[in-house]
Amino acid sequence: MNEIAGMYYALKLQLNMKEQELLYVSRLLDEIGREQRSIVVKSINNNQYYYEQWRQDGKNRYRSLGKVRPGSAAIKEREILQRKELLEKESDLKFIIEQLQNTIKQFENKENNISIISEYSFEVFWKDELSARVSVTKNRVHVSRFIKHPLRQIFSGDIITRNQLNEVLKLRCFEEERPDCRAKLNVLGLTEYNPLEIVKKTHGVSYNDYIWFRFPGEIIKASDVLVRSYNV
C-alpha cells in the first residue's frame, strides 16, 4: 500500500508539473501567434525581397520583411523556429498529460478496490490470553487493548494509522533485506514481500516472545503456532 501510494502521489506531482509547463508553452504561443508561417523570397524589379507567408481564410497572406541581405530575416526565422518547437512541445505535453490522467485514474480505481478489500480484523494473543483486537477500516485502525503489560502488548495506542500498523506487522516478519527472503516467501507461497500476507501465514510468531496473531475463522491456540515452549 505504501508503494502504491508513493507511485500515485508521484504521478500526481508529475501531472501538476506538466500542466504548469503546458500553460507556459500555450501562453508563449498565444503571444507569438499559432499560425504556421514560412519565409519566401520574391523578385521585384530584379531585386530580392523576403516575405513572411501564412494561410488565413483559405488564402496565402504575405508580409514584406525587406530586401534580402545576410541575416536580415534572422529574427523572423528564429520566431518561426520557436513557433514550430512550441507547437510540437504543446502536442507532446497534451499527450503526456492525457496518459498521466489515465494512469492516475487507474490508480484511483485500484486504490478504491484495495480499500474495500483490505478491510480486515485480527486478534493478538499472549500465549492463550487475548492481548488486543485490531479492526482495520478504509481510513483508520482501531485497537482494543485488553492487556497493558509492555511485554505482552505490541500496541501503544487505541487509534493508529495504516502506516503505523504496517510497521508493527513488519516487526513480526523476517527482514525484507535478508539474503534468503525470496526463498522464505516461496515457502510461504507468496510472490512479494507483504507484511500482512506474511503474518497471515506465520501468525506473527517470534522466538523472542509468546505473542501471536489469530485471523477470523481460525481454530488454533498458542501451542499450535508458537515456536517456543511455555508453561500454561
Side-chain angles (χ1 to χ4, degrees):
M1 288 296 294
N2 290 339
E3 182 179 354
I4 291 175
M7 293 174 64
Y8 172 75
Y9 287 114
L11 286 169
K12 293 280 284 186
L13 178 61
Q14 187 177 2
L15 175 62
N16 180 260
M17 292 173 61
K18 293 300 180 183
E19 287 176 336
Q20 293 301 316
E21 189 175 356
L22 177 61
L23 285 174
Y24 175 72
V25 170
S26 298
R27 187 162 53 248
L28 289 178
L29 279 170
D30 290 339
E31 290 176 359
I32 67 174
R34 293 174 173 273
E35 304 89 354
Q36 293 278 16
R37 303 196 176 204
S38 60
I39 294 176
V40 298
V41 175
K42 291 188 175 186
S43 294
I44 302 175
N45 297 326
N46 294 322
N47 292 311
Q48 284 76 44
Y49 294 87
Y50 283 126
Y51 278 83
E52 182 180 18
Q53 175 183 282
W54 70 96
R55 295 283 293 178
Q56 184 177 335
D57 299 329
K59 298 181 180 180
N60 287 332
R61 306 290 182 175
Y62 299 92
R63 177 182 292 118
S64 175
L65 301 176
K67 188 175 288 189
V68 172
R69 294 188 181 86
S72 62
I75 294 176
K76 186 58 66 174
E77 288 170 341
R78 287 197 293 267
E79 181 183 292
I80 291 172
L81 288 173
Q82 182 188 23
R83 179 183 294 108
K84 181 181 179 181
E85 291 173 356
L86 288 172
L87 285 169
E88 291 176 352
K89 184 69 173 178
E90 184 183 52
S91 177
D92 290 343
L93 285 169
K94 287 181 177 178
F95 176 79
I96 292 171
I97 287 172
E98 182 180 1
Q99 295 302 306
L100 285 170
Q101 289 173 335
N102 290 337
T103 303
I104 288 171
K105 186 175 181 180
Q106 292 175 5
F107 266 81
E108 289 173 343
N109 291 337
K110 184 176 182 181
E111 182 70 16
N112 289 335
N113 291 334
I114 289 175
S115 295
I116 295 172
I117 294 172
S118 61
E119 290 187 2
Y120 60 94
S121 64
F122 63 91
E123 293 176 336
V124 181
F125 284 83
W126 181 83
K127 297 185 178 180
D128 282 322
E129 184 179 356
L130 184 61
S131 173
R133 184 174 177 81
V134 181
S135 178
V136 183
T137 60
K138 290 182 180 180
N139 300 317
R140 74 173 191 172
V141 179
H142 181 74
V143 181
S144 298
R145 294 179 295 162
F146 302 100
I147 300 177
K148 297 296 179 69
H149 193 289
L151 299 180
R152 304 180 185 183
Q153 178 60 251
I154 58 176
F155 296 102
S156 59
D158 297 329
I159 299 295
I160 62 176
T161 66
R162 280 178 172 264
N163 287 342
Q164 289 171 328
L165 175 60
N166 195 58
E167 293 303 314
V168 171
L169 296 180
K170 280 183 179 180
L171 294 176
R172 308 304 299 183
C173 300
F174 48 85
E175 296 84 357
E176 187 174 7
E177 295 76 19
R178 58 185 295 163
D180 60 346
C181 177
R182 180 56 55 187
K184 284 184 170 293
L185 289 174
N186 289 337
V187 170
L188 296 175
L190 301 175
T191 59
E192 62 180 4
Y193 190 90
N194 183 315
L196 175 59
E197 296 304 319
I198 291 174
V199 298
K200 283 182 179 180
K201 301 282 188 176
T202 66
H203 300 285
V205 298
S206 170
Y207 283 101
N208 301 319
D209 54 45
Y210 299 113
I211 291 173
W212 60 282
F213 298 169
R214 188 192 74 84
F215 288 86
E218 294 180 329
I219 305 175
I220 52 177
K221 54 185 182 295
S223 59
D224 297 321
V225 296
L226 290 179
V227 292
R228 288 177 59 186
S229 60
Y230 68 96
N231 295 321
V232 179

